[in-house]
């Protein structure tokens, strides 16, 4: 498995995301900051203009010389200053030919939103000027600003000034903000990178390496020694170490079971031959002249038949592996009839013949996309379990489900399942539903249904009987056009 490159590593992504998020935060902070900076700049100009206008009050006849007036206007950076005091007294300073104002800004009662807009417009005009279009450095814009005096709110100050110095100050402030933002972003990114690399990335790389090594060689990989961390990484390390131990034990158990299964299959094959021979020979005992021999012979034959069945099922279970399926349109009613004939031919434990009602309620023409041989095998196992457990009536019905599925229900009126059988219902060799059983019938039936993409489940089981539901795929083909050619004989299986 290829290792991630520097550009695609988790560390690089953390570093990049940290820089981006810090810059985004700075952008969000910049908007109110630049608006506040513009307001502070204008308020400083208004405060200076107020002080400059007060010189008129100290001058003889409220008239200042042109030289002093020019100095005061140059000091405040304005063209015209109007100070309106209570009582409508106006003190005014002005250049000889003041320029006409291009825009008027009344700051009285201006909210934060309008401050954002005014600051944004000023920067946009500066950008247009830098690109060579509109009003910018090529032609200075003159603005008129009106507000209450920062020194005395009872007095109003109006100034006419160039906007270029204000824009230059805003641009210089923006450059400082940008430099600080980049510096903060880099410092924060480096700190976050180093911290997260130590706390997350290196432990995750270690866990990843352990997983890769374990996948390549489960037995040869050294066991993971979890740390003492109490966070999610520590939990992951401990769970991975526990999982490795469980998987290793399961693999060793599987190897032992595979070896044992091979041995059992060989022994079982020979034992089946021996029992078959004994079964054939025991049938001659029915011709014996001894009445007692003829009386016990059916039980002996039935016992031998059950032993042969045990060997056959065990051999089939250990040999089958993944069931090979050949799904085809299958007439379910016909399949259920053939299954019933085989189930009713099953011998009881005492050697007698089964006497039960096989009720086929599957409508004629019901088609399913299944392997007839394998599904028949599962139905035979369910039917035999029912009749050998004491049921004298087995009813099979069908119900259509959404998504082109069918539910085939097998219900009997037997005594119900024992508690131990319910606990290990589908476990091989452990979940026998009847006395003397080996617990393979239901396990094989469930495997058949799961191989079809369905499921076998217990619906109910009480003193009134037991019901199993089989989920199978429905056939979408036209019933009149599809031949049930795939309905194979399952008796040989």
């Amino acid at each position: 498995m290829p290792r991630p490159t520097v550009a695609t590593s988790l560390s690089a992504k953390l570093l990049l995301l940290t820089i981006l998020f810090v810059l985004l935060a700075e952008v969000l902070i910049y908007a109110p900051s630049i608006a506040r900076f513009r307001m502070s700049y204008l308020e400083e100009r208004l405060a200076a203009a107020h002080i400059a206008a007060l010189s008129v009050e100290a001058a003889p006849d409220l008239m200042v010389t042109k030289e002093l007036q020019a100095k005061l206007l140059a000091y405040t950076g304005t063209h015209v200053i109007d100070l309106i005091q209570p009582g409508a007294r106006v003190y005014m300073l002005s250049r000889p030919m003041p320029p006409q104002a291009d825009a008027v800004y009344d700051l009285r009662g201006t909210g934060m939103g309008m401050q954002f807009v005014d600051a944004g417009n000023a920067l946009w005009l500066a950008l247009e000027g830098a690109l060579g279009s509109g009003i910018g450095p090529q032609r200075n814009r003159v603005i008129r600003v009106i507000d209450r005096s920062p020194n005395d709110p009872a007095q109003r100050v109006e100034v006419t000034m160039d906007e270029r110095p204000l824009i230059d100050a805003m641009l210089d402030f923006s450059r400082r903000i940008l430099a600080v933002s980049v510096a903060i972003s880099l410092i924060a990114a480096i700190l976050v990178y180093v911290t997260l690399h130590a706390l997350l990335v290196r432990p995750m790389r270690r866990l990843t390496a352990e997983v890769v090594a374990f996948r390549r060689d489960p037995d040869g990989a050294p066991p993971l020694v979890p740390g003492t961390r109490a966070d999610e990484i520590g939990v992951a390390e401990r769970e991975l170490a526990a999982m490795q131990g469980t998987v290793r034990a399961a693999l060793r158990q599987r190897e032992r079971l595979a070896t044992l299964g091979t041995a059992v299959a060989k022994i079982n094959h020979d034992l089946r031959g021996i029992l078959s021979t004994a079964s054939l020979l025991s049938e001659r005992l029915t011709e014996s002249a001894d009445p007692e021999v003829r009386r016990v012979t059916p039980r002996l034959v039935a016992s031998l038949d059950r032993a042969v069945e045990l060997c056959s099922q065990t051999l089939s279970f250990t040999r089958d592996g993944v069931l090979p399926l050949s799904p085809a349109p299958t007439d379910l009613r016909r399949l259920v009839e053939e299954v019933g004939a085989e189930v009713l031919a099953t011998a009881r434990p005492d050697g007698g013949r089964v006497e039960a009602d096989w009720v086929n309620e599957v409508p004629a023409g019901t088609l399913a996309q299944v392997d007839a041989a394998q599904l028949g095998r599962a139905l035979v196992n369910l039917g035999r379990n029912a009749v050998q457990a004491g049921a004298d009536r087995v009813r099979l019905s069908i119900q259509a489900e959404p998504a082109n599925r069918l539910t085939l229900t097998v219900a009997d009126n037997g005594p119900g399942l024992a508690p131990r059988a319910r606990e290990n219902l589908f476990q091989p060799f452990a979940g026998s539903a009847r006395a003397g059983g080996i617990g393979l019938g239901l396990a094989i039936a469930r495997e058949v249904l799961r191989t079809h993409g369905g499921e076998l489940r217990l619906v109910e089981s009480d003193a009134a009987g037991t019901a199993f539901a089989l989920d199978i795929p429905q056939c979408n083909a036209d019933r009149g056009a599809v031949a049930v050619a795939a309905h194979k004989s399952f008796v040989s299986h």
Side-chain angles (χ1 to χ4, degrees):
M1 180 180 294
R3 297 177 61 87
T5 62
V6 176
T8 60
S9 64
L10 185 60
S11 302
K13 293 177 181 178
L14 289 173
L15 182 63
L16 179 61
L17 288 175
T18 303
I19 294 176
L20 291 178
F21 289 153
V22 173
L23 288 177
L24 177 61
E26 292 294 339
V27 168
L28 296 177
I29 295 174
Y30 171 75
S33 298
I34 193 66
R36 183 66 255 175
F37 176 84
R38 180 177 178 275
M39 285 293 296
S40 298
Y41 183 93
L42 294 177
E43 288 173 353
E44 289 176 1
R45 291 293 178 271
L46 292 172
H50 184 184
I51 295 174
L54 290 178
S55 63
V56 177
E57 189 176 19
D61 301 326
L62 301 178
M63 294 292 292
V64 298
T65 64
K66 293 182 179 180
E67 292 79 6
L68 178 60
Q69 189 169 217
K71 288 182 180 180
L72 291 174
L73 293 174
Y75 169 75
T76 57
T78 59
H79 297 290
V80 178
I81 299 176
D82 292 331
L83 176 62
I84 297 92
Q85 296 181 330
R89 179 181 295 181
V90 179
Y91 294 155
M92 180 177 181
L93 297 175
S94 175
R95 296 184 186 277
M97 295 292 293
Q100 187 70 25
D102 297 306
V104 178
Y105 294 101
D106 191 344
L107 305 184
R108 292 173 295 180
T110 302
M112 183 61 69
M114 199 63 200
Q115 295 178 23
F116 291 160
V117 173
D118 293 340
N121 288 336
L123 292 177
W124 178 252
L125 292 175
L127 178 61
E128 285 186 337
L131 297 176
S133 62
I135 299 174
Q138 292 78 11
R139 186 171 72 85
N140 184 33
R141 196 170 76 145
V142 178
I143 60 174
R144 184 171 182 81
V145 183
I146 305 170
D147 196 7
R148 297 180 182 90
S149 173
N151 301 322
D152 185 359
Q155 303 183 37
R156 187 174 86 244
V157 182
E158 299 181 6
V159 299
T160 301
M161 55 181 287
D162 294 332
E163 192 180 29
R164 186 72 249 168
L166 170 61
I167 292 178
D168 290 340
M170 292 173 66
L171 292 176
D172 183 65
F173 176 79
S174 300
R175 285 189 288 269
R176 294 197 304 270
I177 288 289
L178 177 62
V180 172
S181 300
V182 171
I184 293 176
S185 300
L186 292 176
I187 294 173
I190 292 173
L191 293 176
V192 171
Y193 171 80
V194 173
T195 303
L196 294 181
H197 187 80
L199 293 178
L200 294 177
V201 177
R202 282 196 302 179
M204 287 300 297
R205 285 181 178 174
R206 177 168 172 252
L207 283 176
T208 303
E210 291 286 347
V211 171
V212 172
F214 184 75
R215 181 187 64 83
R216 290 175 177 173
D217 187 7
D219 289 328
L224 172 64
V225 180
T228 58
R229 297 176 57 161
D231 55 8
E232 289 81 357
I233 297 293
V235 173
E237 289 179 345
R238 289 187 288 274
E239 291 297 325
L240 177 58
M243 184 192 71
Q244 287 182 346
T246 303
V247 171
R248 284 193 177 99
L251 290 175
R252 296 190 185 100
Q253 181 69 9
R254 188 182 69 174
E255 291 178 359
R256 289 193 292 267
L257 289 176
T259 304
L260 178 61
T262 302
V264 169
K266 293 179 179 179
I267 297 172
N268 201 18
H269 183 272
D270 296 338
L271 184 59
R272 182 184 180 189
I274 296 172
L275 291 174
S276 298
T277 303
S279 179
L280 291 174
L281 294 176
S282 62
E283 292 180 357
R284 298 184 179 181
L285 295 177
T286 58
E287 303 173 359
S288 174
D290 190 341
E292 183 63 21
V293 173
R294 290 197 303 270
R295 186 180 65 82
V296 300
T297 295
R299 295 184 181 179
L300 175 61
V301 172
S303 299
L304 290 173
D305 288 341
R306 288 198 304 274
V308 172
E309 179 188 357
L310 169 61
C311 294
S312 299
Q313 290 188 2
T314 304
L315 184 61
S316 176
F317 183 79
T318 58
R319 181 187 58 198
D320 280 351
V322 178
L323 293 176
L325 288 186
S326 299
T330 301
D331 188 333
L332 285 184
R333 181 173 180 84
R334 179 183 169 190
L335 178 63
V336 169
E337 287 293 342
E338 295 185 7
V339 168
E342 182 171 350
V343 170
L344 296 179
T346 304
R348 296 200 309 265
D350 60 0
R353 187 178 179 84
V354 169
E355 294 181 2
D357 293 330
W358 185 264
V359 182
N360 185 359
E361 296 183 355
V362 178
T366 303
L367 299 181
Q369 191 73 15
V370 295
D371 187 313
Q374 297 293 356
L375 182 60
R377 179 185 181 189
L379 292 175
V380 167
N381 289 344
L382 292 172
R384 282 180 175 172
N385 283 348
V387 297
Q388 291 182 354
D392 57 15
R393 187 174 185 272
V394 181
R395 183 176 62 88
L396 289 87
S397 59
I398 198 77
Q399 180 179 355
E401 302 290 346
N404 296 323
R405 308 295 296 182
L406 294 172
T407 298
L408 179 61
T409 303
V410 181
D412 64 66
N413 62 347
L417 298 174
R420 179 179 177 277
R422 296 185 193 180
E423 294 174 1
N424 306 291
L425 192 58
F426 300 106
Q427 297 297 321
F429 305 104
S432 176
R434 58 185 172 85
I438 59 175
L440 280 178
L442 290 178
I444 294 174
R446 190 185 201 188
E447 183 180 357
V448 169
L449 269 296
R450 287 186 170 181
T451 308
H452 279 86
E455 185 58 271
L456 171 65
R457 63 184 184 276
L458 176 65
V459 178
E460 61 180 355
S461 182
D462 50 31
T466 302
F468 285 93
L470 294 77
D471 177 42
I472 56 179
Q474 186 177 14
C475 181
N476 291 326
D478 183 72
R479 295 182 180 180
V482 175
V484 195
H487 187 83
K488 301 172 292 184
S489 173
F490 59 88
V491 177
S492 59
H493 294 261

